[in-house]
Amino acid sequence: FEVAGLSFYGNSDSYLVPYTQDVFDSTSSSQSLTLTYGDGSTEIFYSGMDFYPYLCKNGSFVATRNYNSKGITTSNEVAFCINSGLFSGKEIIFSRADRATSRISSAIDPIPFSCNEVLFDKISDAICVTFQDNLEILNKDVNNVVGVLKGTDRNYAVIISAHFDHVGGYGETYYPGALDNASGVSALLEIIKELVGNQFDFDIVFVAFNGEEMGQLGSQAFVKNMNLYKKAVVVNIDSIADIDGNGIQIIGDKGLQHILGSAWQEENVQVILNQENIISDHISFQSANIPAVTISSSTSADELISKSHITTDNATNIDIAQIDYVAQLISDYIKEIDSVESILDNITISKATNR
């Protein structure tokens, strides 16, 4: 942002725009999973060593094996019924997948719990699981990264965003996050390079969001303090470089989907207009009646999810050329915008609904 010569946002004296959010303190937290077998014997496993931390406040539970589950789709899944705690009455599905779940909320049903092959084989033999949660939660100052390319009319803005956070790792297990979402941040940086030096009738605000994996907390904080502009539109970029994707999909506000989709389809770009709201930072803006979309790879939501938060989400498994392609598409479109008002005149803002 500094090298490109972007201005600070609002009254900030830095590109780092702080906000506070709850974070899980891995250094003082403990979680255990006790398995009970048919012969009455037990075995205990610990987060940070045997499984990825299960990020849910007050998430302790006891669950018994459900042999008649309708939620099982593969032989790599085992179902239990939760009998106590916050999720009592819900089903929990243990999956043989070294995949990190960023957070668990009461809105999710069934509850997903990914585990490695060793732990999965043990759970497959268990009749009861007891999860003890002792997560320490800290309220900490963290930052979004924000820079502005100033326009001639500073009442209006186009916001280009991508989240930079991911799920980290535990023990010796590390989740690189190349697709989700180094690909989006890379495109954001390429767009900055492409647009700096041009003159626009509106501000262009570039934002790298923190806290997306924990529930779009960074974008929520940004929206709460977004009082600089009369009107704005948002293009968010998330997971755009799936190596198996052969196009892009546009998710979010239906009117803005149609405008971008029509423009790009005229250039023979393979575009899917996705009416299903995949969760990303566009939701925070839509909830505040600000038209927003997310640009993503054209693969299905389930396939994108299966490729995220895994140890093999690294640079060898993404399409680097797609990053440049999407960045150029977005840059070229912004260069053609006459005014933000001209976009808003042609859309009816649609509210977001979480998936």
Side-chain angles (χ1 to χ4, degrees):
F1 285 28
E2 183 177 4
V3 170
L6 299 180
S7 300
F8 298 143
Y9 178 74
N11 295 322
S12 177
D13 60 358
S14 169
Y15 297 116
L16 301 179
V17 178
Y19 70 97
T20 58
Q21 77 171 50
D22 287 343
V23 298
F24 297 102
D25 182 9
S26 60
T27 62
S28 60
S29 299
S30 64
Q31 294 177 318
S32 65
L33 189 67
T34 302
L35 309 185
T36 303
Y37 303 108
D39 61 2
S41 62
T42 61
E43 195 169 5
I44 303 178
F45 298 86
Y46 297 95
S47 70
M49 294 187 294
D50 303 311
F51 60 90
Y52 187 83
Y54 183 83
L55 301 184
C56 178
K57 188 176 181 179
N58 301 320
S60 296
F61 62 80
V62 176
T64 53
R65 186 68 174 268
N66 180 11
Y67 293 96
N68 299 310
S69 171
K70 296 181 180 179
I72 296 295
T73 58
T74 74
S75 60
N76 291 321
E77 296 175 333
V78 177
F80 287 74
C81 291
I82 299 176
N83 304 320
S84 67
L86 180 65
F87 303 128
S88 182
K90 293 182 181 289
E91 189 172 59
I92 183 165
I93 304 292
F94 292 90
S95 301
R96 188 203 306 266
D98 200 1
R99 183 175 185 273
T101 302
S102 55
R103 67 186 179 97
I104 302 295
S105 76
S106 57
I108 301 173
D109 191 14
I111 305 297
F113 197 121
S114 299
C115 48
N116 61 30
E117 188 167 349
V118 173
L119 181 54
F120 180 82
D121 289 341
K122 297 282 188 177
I123 290 174
S124 298
D125 293 331
I127 61 171
C128 178
V129 296
T130 302
F131 183 77
Q132 290 292 336
D133 174 30
N134 185 29
L135 275 180
E136 293 292 332
I137 298 176
L138 302 176
N139 192 250
K140 296 190 68 174
D141 290 332
V142 295
N143 298 289
N144 293 319
V145 185
V146 189
V148 182
L149 180 59
K150 292 181 179 179
T152 55
D153 187 345
R154 307 214 56 214
N155 291 308
Y156 300 92
V158 173
I159 298 170
I160 310 296
S161 64
H163 76 88
F164 68 82
D165 64 308
H166 196 53
V167 295
Y170 69 94
E172 296 181 357
T173 302
Y174 172 65
Y175 301 90
L179 176 63
D180 180 22
N181 187 35
S183 66
V185 174
S186 297
L188 176 72
L189 298 177
E190 289 299 314
I191 293 168
I192 292 173
K193 289 195 291 186
E194 183 68 24
L195 296 184
V196 164
N198 293 273
Q199 183 64 59
F200 297 94
D201 293 335
F202 45 84
D203 279 7
I204 303 177
V205 183
F206 299 98
V207 191
F209 285 124
N210 204 341
E212 193 274 344
E213 300 290 3
M214 295 304 296
Q216 298 77 53
L217 299 182
S219 55
Q220 288 176 23
F222 182 84
V223 169
K224 284 180 182 177
N225 295 290
M226 188 180 154
N227 53 10
L228 298 180
Y229 301 106
K230 288 182 179 179
K231 299 288 183 181
V233 295
V234 182
V235 178
N236 182 58
I237 312 167
D238 197 343
S239 303
I240 59 165
D242 181 11
I243 201 167
D244 297 316
N246 55 4
I248 61 173
Q249 62 178 315
I250 311 174
I251 306 145
D253 183 90
K254 294 177 183 178
L256 196 50
Q257 279 189 47
H258 178 73
I259 289 173
L260 288 171
S262 297
W264 288 337
Q265 285 168 346
E266 288 180 1
E267 300 178 19
N268 297 317
V269 178
Q270 198 163 10
V271 180
I272 298 172
L273 302 184
N274 193 332
Q275 303 301 324
E276 178 186 32
N277 250 320
I278 296 174
I279 297 175
S280 191
D281 284 307
H282 66 280
I283 288 176
S284 299
F285 293 94
Q286 280 191 273
S287 297
N289 291 321
I290 300 168
V293 293
T294 287
I295 310 300
S296 188
S297 294
S298 62
T299 37
S300 70
D302 288 341
E303 189 171 352
L304 277 179
I305 290 170
S306 73
K307 293 180 177 182
S308 302
H309 304 180
I310 58 176
T311 57
T312 53
D313 180 14
N314 54 44
T316 60
N317 288 318
I318 62 172
D319 185 351
I320 302 295
Q322 182 75 354
I323 296 173
D324 294 329
Y325 178 66
V326 172
Q328 194 65 55
L329 280 178
I330 295 172
S331 299
D332 289 345
Y333 178 78
I334 291 174
K335 290 176 183 178
E336 296 297 321
I337 296 175
D338 293 324
S339 68
V340 172
E341 286 182 297
S342 68
I343 300 175
L344 295 172
D345 287 344
N346 290 294
I347 66 175
T348 300
I349 298 171
S350 58
K351 279 277 192 177
T353 54
N354 285 4
R355 181 173 181 261

